[in-house]
Amino acid sequence: MTLDNWPKHIQKYLFLLKDDFFQFPYLFNSPQIMLESMLKLPISKHFPLKNLITFNTPLAKAKMYYKEIEEGFWLLTFYLKMKENIMALSGYDMDKSSEYYLLTFSVFEYQFPLKDGSSLPLLSTCWTISKPYTEISSYFYKEADGKFFSIAMTKDWVKKNFSSKKFKERKTILKFLNGERGSYTWLDISEKAHKVGNDLSDLLEKENHSEADNAGIRKKTMKLITEFFDNAFEDSRIADNISLSNQDYLNVSRAEKIVLQNLHLPFLGIEFIAKEVNTSATKLKSNFKAVYGFSMLQYHKEKNLVLAMQLILKSDFNIQEIAVITGHDSAGRFASSFKKRFGKLPSEVRF
């Protein structure tokens, strides 16, 4: 796939329905090539004076602000409103080089279906860092509404701007960037990042940017980076620097989708999920932990308990009902798991 034959590629694959998700392909050798590939889409509209691209289809509405803060350092901010299930899939023009690393902070509100046919808006937050030539598949669910901030930076820019004073793990970070292909995901590891993201949104959506606004955008973007690296070393994934194939990353992403779609049930089991993904259980187990820092069972428990917390805070269901909704076989076991994770019983959170 190249940028030259991209129009033919998207004629075939843009919004192709596969596994209940409509595909949205794009190229990401660099922010410039990403912009070029998106502007070739028949659904895009460009507002160059605002550094803005919009997309409007029966399947989704989106807008993207792009800003080259300085050479080798970009901020790409996306606002998405899903009308159907969408899978965004990055690709690379292998005739062109790729030097950009991508750090993304995403905050999405999705609709959790309730037993009476209604739904409840719940929050999902994560961070992802990816190296060049790593193809990323991201699943967005129907009626999800959110934003993500993608920070693109070259290794040369990182060397110049990551001082040992600001980044205590500078040597490990640079060693990580020297490694091969890779993509890694963390859950909500920084409460402060939410405020920084909101401040960035306010700056980006101004009609006209002053020099002070531009300086503010740079400062807030750097703050997001430091918030990530200040909290990303609780496990050893950056230090271990495990690299997988693009097919492995796709399989892990598909496995995560299956886990998330079945949070209301007890864990389905590694063997079952591996069969659905069409790979070996041993390989999938190892690869999933390399990407997410959790085993699949641990990931299911974590997302399940975070879901339970949001149901306690936002719904009128009683504690026993929430235990059933989140797939626990007894209210007692649910309360025990909840207290182990959050330090409080469910009843103490609500009252």
Side-chain angles (χ1 to χ4, degrees):
M1 186 193 331
T2 68
L3 190 60
D4 291 336
N5 65 23
W6 182 245
K8 289 184 178 179
H9 180 83
I10 59 177
Q11 280 181 0
K12 182 176 181 181
Y13 291 104
L14 181 61
F15 296 136
L16 175 70
L17 182 61
K18 186 175 182 180
D19 298 330
D20 296 323
F21 281 77
F22 293 94
Q23 293 188 18
F24 180 88
Y26 64 94
L27 292 175
F28 190 80
N29 292 67
S30 67
Q32 297 94 326
I33 288 178
M34 180 183 187
L35 294 176
E36 286 186 58
S37 72
M38 288 189 167
L39 290 173
K40 290 179 184 290
L41 298 175
I43 59 170
S44 67
K45 191 173 182 180
H46 192 202
F47 303 87
L49 295 179
K50 295 182 179 180
N51 287 357
L52 172 67
I53 300 174
T54 63
F55 310 89
N56 193 358
T57 78
L59 304 178
K61 288 182 68 174
K63 61 181 180 179
M64 179 186 77
Y65 288 98
Y66 59 91
K67 186 169 186 62
E68 184 177 17
I69 299 173
E70 57 199 39
E71 185 177 355
F73 184 37
W74 287 67
L75 175 64
L76 308 165
T77 305
F78 299 81
Y79 299 81
L80 306 177
K81 193 173 186 65
M82 298 299 155
K83 301 175 185 178
E84 299 291 343
N85 293 335
I86 301 285
M87 183 186 76
L89 181 63
S90 68
Y92 285 83
D93 183 338
M94 301 309 292
D95 292 341
K96 299 182 185 296
S97 65
S98 179
E99 299 178 350
Y100 278 87
Y101 300 79
L102 199 64
L103 172 64
T104 299
F105 172 57
S106 62
V107 182
F108 272 85
E109 194 171 73
Y110 68 99
Q111 299 298 319
F112 182 76
L114 302 176
K115 60 184 179 182
D116 62 0
S118 64
S119 61
L120 184 72
L122 300 177
L123 200 64
S124 178
T125 303
C126 73
W127 295 81
T128 301
I129 187 166
S130 303
K131 300 181 189 181
Y133 298 109
T134 307
E135 294 179 356
I136 307 167
S137 51
S138 303
Y139 290 92
F140 302 99
Y141 294 90
K142 182 179 180 178
E143 296 185 20
D145 187 358
K147 57 190 173 184
F148 57 98
F149 304 90
S150 290
I151 303 164
M153 47 197 168
T154 63
K155 186 166 61 178
D156 286 343
W157 182 88
V158 170
K159 285 180 179 178
K160 292 175 184 176
N161 290 275
F162 279 30
S163 66
S164 54
K165 186 177 180 180
K166 269 191 175 180
F167 298 89
K168 295 177 183 178
E169 302 284 353
R170 182 178 186 274
K171 288 184 179 179
T172 305
I173 294 168
L174 292 176
K175 184 179 178 182
F176 167 80
L177 297 181
N178 282 326
E180 296 179 359
R181 176 191 292 116
S183 180
Y184 313 82
T185 297
W186 287 256
L187 300 184
D188 197 357
I189 57 175
S190 169
E191 289 184 11
K192 293 179 182 178
H194 292 265
K195 172 68 165 60
V196 178
N198 289 335
D199 291 344
L200 262 176
S201 290
D202 291 342
L203 287 170
L204 290 167
E205 293 192 66
K206 279 190 173 183
E207 282 295 322
N208 298 297
H209 292 140
S210 65
E211 286 301 317
D213 291 333
N214 290 330
I217 290 171
R218 187 189 193 284
K219 182 178 179 180
K220 295 296 182 183
T221 304
M222 286 297 298
K223 181 62 177 173
L224 274 185
I225 296 172
T226 56
E227 280 300 312
F228 171 73
F229 283 112
D230 281 349
N231 293 281
F233 283 89
E234 290 188 7
D235 59 54
S236 62
R237 280 179 292 159
I238 290 178
D240 291 344
N241 200 25
I242 295 172
S243 179
L244 309 177
S245 72
N246 280 327
Q247 183 59 51
D248 288 335
Y249 286 117
L250 177 60
N251 288 342
V252 167
S253 183
R254 291 173 62 204
E256 192 232 8
K257 174 172 70 77
I258 293 170
V259 171
L260 293 180
Q261 288 177 327
N262 292 279
L263 288 180
H264 60 293
L265 300 172
F267 180 58
L268 295 174
I270 295 169
E271 294 288 344
F272 175 86
I273 296 172
K275 187 176 180 180
E276 290 293 301
V277 174
N278 196 26
T279 189
S280 79
T282 302
K283 187 175 185 180
L284 183 61
K285 180 180 177 180
S286 173
N287 291 348
F288 193 96
K289 189 162 188 178
V291 173
Y292 288 99
F294 292 92
S295 70
M296 274 185 281
L297 175 59
Q298 290 170 329
Y299 190 81
H300 177 274
K301 285 181 177 179
E302 174 66 15
K303 297 291 284 189
N304 184 281
L305 289 170
V306 170
L307 168 62
M309 173 64 89
Q310 293 195 49
L311 287 171
I312 289 170
L313 294 173
K314 295 185 177 184
S315 78
D316 294 327
F317 291 112
N318 64 45
I319 302 301
Q320 190 162 1
E321 286 176 316
I322 291 173
V324 173
I325 290 169
T326 54
H328 292 84
D329 55 11
S330 77
R333 288 185 182 178
F334 167 61
S336 176
S337 297
F338 190 93
K339 184 171 183 179
K340 185 176 180 181
R341 169 62 178 84
F342 296 109
K344 292 182 178 181
L345 290 169
S347 57
E348 294 173 322
V349 171
R350 174 161 281 179
F351 301 108

